[in-house]
């Protein structure tokens, strides 16, 4: 190896490690700042910068106030109900649509796929007026079931993920043996979609749990607010209580962190399989 090649080699190593450290710092800085702010009193927050450590790490008053004043207990229940039904519905609807589009060659199959792809290019905010009018006319405003049906919707990304995972020959032999399409789907193909199901559940679950715009628009009743809406309890025209907001953010992260720690093996395997499947 020549001198110039060694220089390029070590320079490339330096760039790799520097970029890893830099982007890790950028990603972790807001989290660290939020944790520090969550343990500060109102006086500490107003008189110190965001990276100044709190006087006491055993001050949990902010967490108690955030949980009680924002009614986060009820918000967690609402979010859990929405999350379960939306994820289940998205998996079932997405997998069934993918099965139909993948297996049955009928006139308009390509057109439907193109329309699904075209729908992803349309900005959601541009369709909110028509969507809100439709939701209002059918009486879905301020109802969890209305918001669930809206969020469940046709998830185009989920459909294309499922299409890639369908095996090619198992259902043909089962059909020749006399199995119905429902038997083929639920007993043969659906169990083989586990990596795709995990991937879709992650994508849809994270998006639904963090959803704020639609939840605030269609669930204005305080009793129906989700966890994302509850965090805005401490935001107002006279100022925002960021120490309570940060405490609420940490509380809202705990369930997601617990789920990740319990199912991290399935999550990693699902994402890896979804990344390499072609």
């Amino acid at each position: 190896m020549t001198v110039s090649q060694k220089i390029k080699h070590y320079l490339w190593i330096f760039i790799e490690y520097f970029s890893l450290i830099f982007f890790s710092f950028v990603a972790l800085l807001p989290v660290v700042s939020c944790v520090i702010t969550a343990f500060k009193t109102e006086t500490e927050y107003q008189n110190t910068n965001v990276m100044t450590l709190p006087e006491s790490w055993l001050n949990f008053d902010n967490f108690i106030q955030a949980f009680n004043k924002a009614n986060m207990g009820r918000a967690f229940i609402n979010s859990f109900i929405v999350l379960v039904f939306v994820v289940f519905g998205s998996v079932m609807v997405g997998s069934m649509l993918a099965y139909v589009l993948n297996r049955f060659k009928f006139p308009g199959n390509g057109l439907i796929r193109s329309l699904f792809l075209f729908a992803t290019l349309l900005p959601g905010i541009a369709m909110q007026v028509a969507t809100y009018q439709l939701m209002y006319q059918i009486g879905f405003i301020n109802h969890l079931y209305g918001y669930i049906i809206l969020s469940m919707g046709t998830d185009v990304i989920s459909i294309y993920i499922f299409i890639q995972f369908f095996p090619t020959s198992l259902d043909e032999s089962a059909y020749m043996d006399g199995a119905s399409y429902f038997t083929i789907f639920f007993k043969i193909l659906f169990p083989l979609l586990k990596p795709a199901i995990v991937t879709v559940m992650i994508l849809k679950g994270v998006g639904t749990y963090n959803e704020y715009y639609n939840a605030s628009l269609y669930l204005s009743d305080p009793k129906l607010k989700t966890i994302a809406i509850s965090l805005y309890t401490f935001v107002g025209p006279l100022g925002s209580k960021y120490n309570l907001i940060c405490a609420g953010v940490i509380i809202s992260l705990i369930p997601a962190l617990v789920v990740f720690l319990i199912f991290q093996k399935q999550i990693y395997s699902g994402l890896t399989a979804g990344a390499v499947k072609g």
Side-chain angles (χ1 to χ4, degrees):
M1 183 180 292
T2 62
V3 176
S4 60
Q5 290 177 335
K6 288 183 178 181
I7 293 175
K8 291 180 180 179
H9 175 70
Y10 289 115
L11 180 61
W12 183 248
I13 293 177
F14 171 77
I15 293 174
E16 286 182 341
Y17 280 96
F18 176 79
S19 59
L20 286 173
I21 294 172
F22 175 76
F23 288 111
S24 298
F25 174 79
V26 172
L28 292 176
L29 183 61
V31 179
V32 174
S33 174
C34 183
V35 172
I36 292 174
T37 303
F39 285 92
K40 289 183 178 181
T41 63
E42 185 70 24
T43 304
E44 284 184 90
Y45 175 75
Q46 293 178 356
N47 296 324
T48 59
N49 62 63
V50 293
M51 296 306 295
T52 302
L53 298 179
E55 294 182 359
S56 174
W57 289 98
L58 299 177
N59 179 23
F60 297 101
D61 292 340
N62 291 339
F63 297 91
I64 297 174
Q65 291 185 47
F67 189 87
N68 293 331
K69 291 184 179 180
N71 196 15
M72 296 185 72
R74 182 62 189 178
F76 272 122
I77 295 175
N78 293 335
S79 293
F80 178 77
I81 294 173
V82 171
L83 191 63
V84 169
F85 282 98
V86 169
V87 170
F88 176 79
S90 297
V91 169
M92 297 305 301
V93 173
S95 59
M96 290 179 181
L97 280 173
Y99 175 62
V100 172
L101 294 176
N102 183 268
R103 284 295 187 270
F104 302 99
K105 305 303 179 183
F106 54 89
N109 186 304
L111 177 62
I112 293 175
R113 294 195 187 197
S114 300
L115 291 176
F116 280 151
L117 184 61
F118 177 73
T120 61
L121 304 177
L122 297 176
I125 193 67
M127 298 181 289
Q128 281 301 327
V129 175
T131 304
Y132 188 88
Q133 288 179 345
L134 179 63
M135 292 283 288
Y136 178 78
Q137 291 175 0
I138 59 181
F140 278 2
I141 304 295
N142 275 334
H143 294 287
L144 276 183
Y145 60 82
Y147 177 67
I148 290 171
I149 294 175
L150 175 67
S151 302
M152 194 180 298
T154 303
D155 194 342
V156 180
I157 297 178
S158 300
I159 294 174
Y160 281 99
I161 291 175
F162 282 121
I163 286 177
Q164 296 182 16
F165 276 86
F166 276 110
T168 55
S169 59
L170 294 178
D171 53 334
E172 295 178 359
S173 58
Y175 181 75
M176 294 180 64
D177 290 337
S180 65
Y181 289 120
F182 286 96
T183 301
I184 293 172
F185 177 78
F186 285 105
K187 292 188 177 181
I188 299 176
L189 297 179
F190 191 75
L192 299 177
L193 297 177
K194 182 179 178 181
I197 292 173
V198 173
T199 304
V200 171
M201 289 179 65
I202 294 170
L203 296 176
K204 194 67 177 180
V206 172
T208 303
Y209 188 73
N210 294 329
E211 174 62 43
Y212 169 75
Y213 179 79
N214 285 333
S216 63
L217 185 62
Y218 297 104
L219 298 176
S220 57
D221 189 341
K223 296 181 180 180
L224 300 176
K225 64 183 179 181
T226 59
I227 194 65
I229 304 177
S230 67
L231 296 177
Y232 282 79
T233 303
F234 309 105
V235 177
L238 300 180
S240 302
K241 298 181 179 180
Y242 286 103
N243 55 329
L244 297 182
I245 293 175
C246 291
V249 168
I250 294 176
I251 294 174
S252 67
L253 288 176
I254 293 176
L257 182 61
V258 172
V259 171
F260 173 77
L261 293 176
I262 295 175
F263 299 103
Q264 58 180 322
K265 182 178 179 180
Q266 290 81 358
I267 292 174
Y268 284 136
S269 62
L271 290 177
T272 304
V276 301
K277 184 72 175 179

